[in-house]
Amino acid sequence: MPSRAQRFVDAARSNVPEGTFAVGAGLLIAGVTAYGFQLLANHRLEKLHYAALNSLWAVVFVVTPGLFQPLEQEVARAVAHRRVRGIGGGPLVKRAGVLGAVLAACSVVLALVFEHPIIHTLFHGQGLLLICLVAAIVCYFFAFITRGALSGNGRFGAYGMMHGSEGMARILACGLLFVIGSHSTGLYGLALALPPAVAVLVSLRGQRGLLTPGPTAPYSELSSALGLLLLGSVLAQSLSYAAFLAATILAKTHGQKDALAGFISAIFIARIPILLFAAVQAALLPKLAALAGAGRHNEFLGGMRRLLIVVVGVGVIGVIGSATLGPTIGKKLFDNWTLDGFNLGVLAAGSGAFILALTLNQGLIALASYTRAAVAWVGGVVVFLITLAVGNELFLRCELAYLFGSLAAAAAMAVFLFGQIAHGATGDIDTLVGLIQHEPLEL
């Protein structure tokens, strides 16, 4: 008879998507090494140069997910649809690669066109960081396409290895720079930008059958509404970093600017659950898409409900942990810590609400309900801006705006998702299945 502990583990496994634990291990490594990178760079670089490196960090992790994560999600969803019917997904992955290359090229051109303001406003005169930004865009383009192919084919071990190897390559490079005493902001920027390429090479080693032949893939099979997906992705990333951006822009007085560094440090602590949630996000979409594409909508709904219970539970634990232990941990890690338990708890609650919105968003994407998902993110950003305009205390306004904006997005997602399921939710999926089963003309 299995022990109580084993039964608990088995019950927990049944409530999360397949592959979550494999991917979670890689993301745990990625998250820990990301914080290690920040701490090592903070102790080696001058304050202004460290600020420039953080600007690169923020731009990279807003722009690249905003541009390429929709392609990853669509590749994962569409390949899962094909795989459940025994149809090869190679043409579809190649088609996504063309789209991603166009987005990457446009981004690089824009970065070069606006070279002067980027270097002198964001990077504080550190010109090599512009090269790092271009390198990061290219590397993450390949990484996101690879992630989509791995996730859609159910290769969650390799997917987790991507995240883990990226984090390890980054912390090893940063550690080497730290040990040799390097004060070069550009070298630390390259340590941030290049590891995704290393992760692609490591994760693809020994992988076979990711690009199996199949029917020609039209652009519409990836999505006939890629613009909506991009809009939703950019808005989601913006809302995720909204408290950070708003506090940075609105800090005007000397006291606010002095306290800003401590507030940003607190955001890093409060965002830990968001980083770890990527494991669930990566494993969730293909499974939901496969259930929806097979017409198993009752199982789709049941899986969403069980997962939401887990997500809410994790959010509650995150709030309690942040409010009680967060300030103690923060003071040990960051010299500039200023926030108390209440304010950190509000930030953690905002992160929990944001995770809830992301979970529901994956359900809408699996049902090809892109317009509703984009509308929900628009609503969240609008609520954030309205809340931000109320009150006097800057950082509390940013915290509450983040919380209410995320709650608004999650509420809208829930209404749209469960309303669509209640009315059948078959139209978009049936159309997509028809496109897969009948080889269409090239667009």
Side-chain angles (χ1 to χ4, degrees):
M1 179 179 293
S3 65
R4 179 178 299 180
Q6 184 61 46
R7 290 197 301 271
F8 177 81
V9 171
D10 292 340
R13 286 180 178 273
S14 67
N15 283 329
V16 295
E18 175 189 1
T20 296
F21 294 99
V23 180
L27 285 165
L28 179 61
I29 296 173
V32 171
T33 54
Y35 282 88
F37 178 90
Q38 286 285 337
L39 292 173
L40 290 177
N42 182 49
H43 283 84
R44 187 61 72 197
L45 297 177
E46 298 178 9
K47 288 185 177 180
L48 188 63
H49 293 173
Y50 179 68
L53 182 65
N54 265 322
S55 294
L56 174 66
W57 182 286
V59 172
V60 167
F61 290 109
V62 169
V63 171
T64 58
L67 290 177
F68 304 128
Q69 195 169 63
L71 283 177
E72 176 194 343
Q73 292 172 336
E74 283 302 284
V75 168
R77 177 190 60 77
V79 169
H81 270 297
R82 285 191 167 211
R83 186 164 61 96
V84 80
R85 292 168 177 78
I87 301 173
L92 189 143
V93 177
K94 294 175 183 177
R95 180 72 74 186
V98 173
L99 285 175
V102 171
L103 288 174
C106 291
S107 303
V108 170
V109 169
L110 287 174
L112 296 177
V113 168
F114 294 99
E115 170 188 1
H116 188 272
I118 290 175
I119 291 176
H120 294 281
T121 302
L122 289 176
F123 299 156
H124 302 288
Q126 300 295 305
L128 187 55
L129 291 185
L130 181 65
I131 299 176
C132 297
L133 174 59
V134 171
I137 291 172
V138 174
C139 290
Y140 272 110
F141 151 59
F142 286 106
F144 275 104
I145 296 297
T146 303
R147 290 177 192 175
L150 291 171
S151 181
N153 281 284
R155 312 288 180 86
F156 297 115
Y159 189 104
M161 185 178 293
M162 274 201 72
H163 287 281
S165 58
E166 178 185 333
M168 289 303 299
R170 181 168 291 131
I171 194 64
L172 288 174
C174 183
L176 177 61
L177 293 173
F178 184 86
V179 169
I180 66 176
S182 174
H183 297 280
S184 170
T185 312
L187 290 179
Y188 279 93
L190 289 175
L192 167 63
L194 298 180
V198 176
V200 169
L201 297 176
V202 171
S203 65
L204 290 181
R205 182 181 179 184
Q207 294 295 318
R208 298 289 185 272
L210 291 177
L211 300 177
T212 54
T216 303
Y219 286 110
S220 59
E221 186 179 339
L222 281 170
S223 176
S224 59
L226 188 59
L228 288 171
L229 283 169
L230 289 170
L231 174 62
S233 181
V234 170
L235 289 173
Q237 290 301 120
S238 299
L239 184 58
S240 173
Y241 283 91
F244 168 86
L245 295 173
T248 302
I249 293 171
L250 297 177
K252 302 299 183 183
T253 68
H254 182 73
Q256 289 174 341
K257 292 181 179 180
D258 282 346
L260 182 60
F263 183 72
I264 294 173
S265 299
I267 291 177
F268 272 104
I269 296 295
R271 285 180 57 85
I272 290 176
I274 296 179
L275 296 175
L276 297 179
F277 173 74
V280 176
Q281 184 183 40
L284 170 62
L285 185 56
K287 183 172 182 177
L288 292 179
L291 290 173
R296 296 158 61 182
H297 299 294
N298 288 335
E299 294 181 50
F300 179 96
L301 181 58
M304 281 297 304
R305 285 173 173 168
R306 289 192 298 272
L307 183 63
L308 289 173
I309 292 173
V310 174
V311 169
V312 171
V314 170
V316 170
I317 293 172
V319 172
I320 295 174
S322 295
T324 55
L325 302 176
T328 301
I329 296 173
K331 290 175 182 177
K332 292 183 179 296
L333 294 177
F334 300 99
D335 295 334
N336 51 19
W337 189 269
T338 57
L339 260 66
D340 57 20
F342 171 77
N343 287 274
L344 186 59
V346 175
L347 280 174
S351 293
F354 184 78
I355 293 172
L356 182 61
L358 282 178
T359 304
L360 294 163
N361 180 64
Q362 298 312 294
L364 288 173
I365 289 176
L367 296 177
S369 188
Y370 311 119
T371 301
R372 292 179 178 88
V375 168
W377 288 124
V378 170
V381 171
V382 169
V383 170
F384 175 89
L385 294 174
I386 292 174
T387 307
L388 188 64
V390 179
N392 296 316
E393 207 285 310
L394 173 62
F395 298 119
L396 181 59
R397 285 162 52 199
C398 295
E399 295 159 9
L400 292 175
Y402 178 42
L403 172 59
F404 292 142
S406 298
L407 285 173
M413 297 280 185
V415 171
F416 290 146
L417 176 62
F418 292 107
Q420 188 170 350
I421 292 174
H423 288 85
T426 59
D428 291 335
I429 292 298
D430 289 342
T431 300
L432 182 58
V433 171
L435 287 171
I436 295 174
Q437 291 175 333
H438 301 89
E439 188 171 345
L441 295 174
E442 293 282 349
L443 296 181

